[in-house]
Amino acid sequence: MKVRSLMVPPGIPDFLTRHRLVQAGPVLLRGRAWSGRAPIQRVQVAVDGVWSEAQLDAPDGEFAWRGWSFSWQAEAGEHLLMCRAMDGLGQLQPLEPEWNCLGMGNNAVQRVAVTVAGPASDH
């Protein structure tokens, strides 16, 4: 299995666009990462193309899923979230999938479009 990570999409989905909707402020992003050849060493989260380190949970086993989290200070507007993992052999998830006839083994980074609503008014 190729190195891979997935994010639990934050907030709620918009029915028509499938964008996620969240309120401005702190948002805890969570997910899992795994690899079939070596333990997960790091996970990064990108907000609008800027990569930052996520916090890894303690490992449950050498080849078990590894939990991760990232605290995002969501600001009003449209954003693109991504996550990627790297294993102990230095294998890093690619930004784009490698083409093959059946589309097997796709481990490209996950992209989640998010709309952040501004802070609620007091009146």
Side-chain angles (χ1 to χ4, degrees):
M1 294 178 77
K2 295 180 179 180
V3 65
R4 183 85 162 113
S5 65
L6 291 173
M7 175 188 320
V8 176
I12 59 171
D14 175 69
F15 182 76
L16 294 176
T17 66
R18 304 312 298 160
H19 282 219
R20 304 299 290 199
L21 306 172
V22 300
Q23 288 295 314
V27 176
L28 182 63
L29 303 176
R30 297 195 57 80
R32 301 286 182 268
W34 68 95
S35 175
R37 298 190 61 208
I40 294 298
Q41 295 296 310
R42 68 193 295 197
V43 171
Q44 295 177 309
V45 173
V47 177
D48 300 325
V50 177
W51 293 98
S52 300
E53 296 296 319
Q55 178 71 37
L56 292 176
D57 296 349
D60 286 331
E62 187 176 3
F63 295 105
W65 289 66
R66 183 121 186 228
W68 60 267
S69 60
F70 180 80
S71 183
W72 173 39
Q73 187 62 37
E75 297 178 3
E78 302 293 324
H79 301 280
L80 180 65
L81 305 179
M82 297 185 287
C83 62
R84 67 181 177 190
M86 182 170 49
D87 69 14
L89 295 175
Q91 298 178 102
L92 182 66
Q93 277 183 265
L95 292 176
E96 300 298 329
E98 294 179 25
W99 185 91
N100 65 57
C101 186
L102 298 175
M104 305 297 283
N106 177 5
N107 70 327
V109 300
Q110 177 188 18
R111 290 170 168 80
V112 179
V114 178
T115 300
V116 179
S121 69
D122 292 333
H123 46 275

